[in-house]
């Protein structure tokens, strides 16, 4: 069976850890979680995974199970320790977003005016600290112009333009890529969002139509397809119940 869009997205999320070294991987969402675990089992055995609670795992369990129910536990990191790890920079986060603008500013807090928002979301959570202290990538399950906007209603995660204005205080700021169900995006020399690769079957016009600001595409290559061993791990070991298809239907 050929790779599905969800599986292409998983491999793209996994690829964010290729040069990470020994870091604590923080992944929000089904696809990013499988991606981090796939990286751990293949080309990035040095990254450290949690089971979503407090256990550190040398081998991940199937999706939805804690380490005690199928993984191999190698350590313990209670919540208070996460802040210490974050402050050292030895962490890498893939977060979601409700809005992202052309410079990678992210909003997960509210929609509309601050004083009278149309929607109250989850709040800034750990986004400011993450984007100040270590590499951050984003996962977007539904690439649309409602999410990729000219200006976010509130800045939760710091974008490249604001990081430059922050000077030395933002010296550890590092936005990596944005993986969506249509493409992998990264940033040009000015810090603006651009297309790094298009997923198989996706056209440049589809991306333009679903992005609320002008975006550079150029001769973007096709996003890599996971190899046979990666597909086996995804389908048989990491996500045998195919929960990935709920986040990205094919």
């Amino acid at each position: 069976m050929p790779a599905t869009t969800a599986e292409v997205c998983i491999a793209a999320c996994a690829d964010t850890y290729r040069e990470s070294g020994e870091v604590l991987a923080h992944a929000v969402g089904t696809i990013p979680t499988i991606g981090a675990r796939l990286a751990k089992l293949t080309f990035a055995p040095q990254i450290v995974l949690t089971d979503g609670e407090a256990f550190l795992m040398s081998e991940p369990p199937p999706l939805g199970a804690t380490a005690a129910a199928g993984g191999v536990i190698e350590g313990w990191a209670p919540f208070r320790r996460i802040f210490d790890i974050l402050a050292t920079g030895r962490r890498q986060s893939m977060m979601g977003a409700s809005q992202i603008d052309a410079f990678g500013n992210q909003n997960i807090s509210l929609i509309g005016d601050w004083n009278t928002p149309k929607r109250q979301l989850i709040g800034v959570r750990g986004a400011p600290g993450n984007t100040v202290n270590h590499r951050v990538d984003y996962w977007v399950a539904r690439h649309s112009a409602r999410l990729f906007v000219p200006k976010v209603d509130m800045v939760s995660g710091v974008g490249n333009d604001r990081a430059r204005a922050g000077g030395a205080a933002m010296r550890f700021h590092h936005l990596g890529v944005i993986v969506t169900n249509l493409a992998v995006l990264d940033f040009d020399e000015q810090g603006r969002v651009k297309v790094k690769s298009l997923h198989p079957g996706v056209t440049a016009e589809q991306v333009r139509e679903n992005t609320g600001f002008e975006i550079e595409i150029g001769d973007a290559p096709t996003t890599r397809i996971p190899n046979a061993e990666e597909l086996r791990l995804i389908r048989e070991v990491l996500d045998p119940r195919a929960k990935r298809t709920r986040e990205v239907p094919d």
Side-chain angles (χ1 to χ4, degrees):
M1 175 182 171
T4 64
T5 301
E7 290 161 346
V8 170
C9 292
I10 289 168
C13 291
D15 284 345
T16 63
Y17 298 101
R18 284 193 177 274
E19 299 178 359
S20 298
E22 189 178 282
V23 298
L24 178 64
H26 170 243
V28 179
T30 298
I31 298 294
T33 297
I34 302 172
R37 295 180 180 189
L38 179 64
K40 175 76 172 179
L41 292 179
T42 53
F43 52 78
Q46 70 277 14
I47 66 173
V48 179
L49 301 176
T50 74
D51 66 347
E53 296 181 4
F55 289 117
L56 304 179
M57 306 178 297
S58 60
E59 292 184 19
L63 197 67
T66 64
V72 176
I73 299 170
E74 63 178 355
W76 181 64
F79 190 62
R80 63 181 179 272
R81 284 281 296 132
I82 299 300
F83 294 99
D84 297 331
I85 297 169
L86 183 150
T88 69
R90 296 180 67 185
R91 186 172 183 260
Q92 183 173 318
S93 179
M94 178 168 274
M95 295 189 292
S98 299
Q99 292 178 327
I100 298 177
D101 70 17
F103 286 94
N105 291 290
Q106 170 240 33
N107 174 26
I108 51 174
S109 188
L110 59 87
I111 300 297
D113 180 77
W114 168 266
N115 295 307
T116 55
K118 297 177 182 177
R119 293 287 186 275
Q120 177 65 54
L121 305 177
I122 64 173
V124 298
R125 306 298 289 266
N130 290 348
T131 49
V132 166
N133 285 289
H134 58 70
R135 172 171 171 160
V136 170
D137 304 280
Y138 291 114
W139 160 243
V140 173
R142 292 174 179 81
H143 190 136
S144 74
R146 292 182 63 184
L147 191 147
F148 287 99
V149 295
K151 182 181 179 181
V152 297
D153 293 338
M154 176 181 173
V155 175
S156 302
V158 180
N160 291 315
D161 54 346
R162 290 173 177 267
R164 288 178 178 174
M170 297 298 296
R171 62 191 181 279
F172 299 119
H173 179 269
H174 178 193
L175 295 186
V177 300
I178 306 168
V179 180
T180 83
N181 63 317
L182 298 181
V184 178
L185 315 177
D186 61 1
F187 302 90
D188 64 19
E189 292 181 357
Q190 285 71 47
R192 287 184 60 91
V193 175
K194 67 179 180 66
V195 173
K196 182 178 182 181
S197 66
L198 298 169
H199 296 340
V202 175
T203 67
E205 190 56 34
Q206 282 179 279
V207 173
R208 289 193 182 95
E209 289 177 353
N210 287 282
T211 305
F213 50 80
E214 188 174 335
I215 186 168
E216 178 188 341
I217 299 178
D219 296 324
T222 302
T223 308
R224 81 171 183 92
I225 297 172
N227 61 39
E229 176 60 10
E230 289 173 319
L231 289 174
R232 184 191 70 81
L233 289 170
I234 293 169
R235 296 170 181 178
E236 299 178 16
V237 178
L238 297 172
D239 186 27
R241 297 176 64 184
K243 292 185 178 181
R244 60 193 178 276
T245 61
R246 299 177 191 175
E247 196 163 60
V248 180
D250 202 52

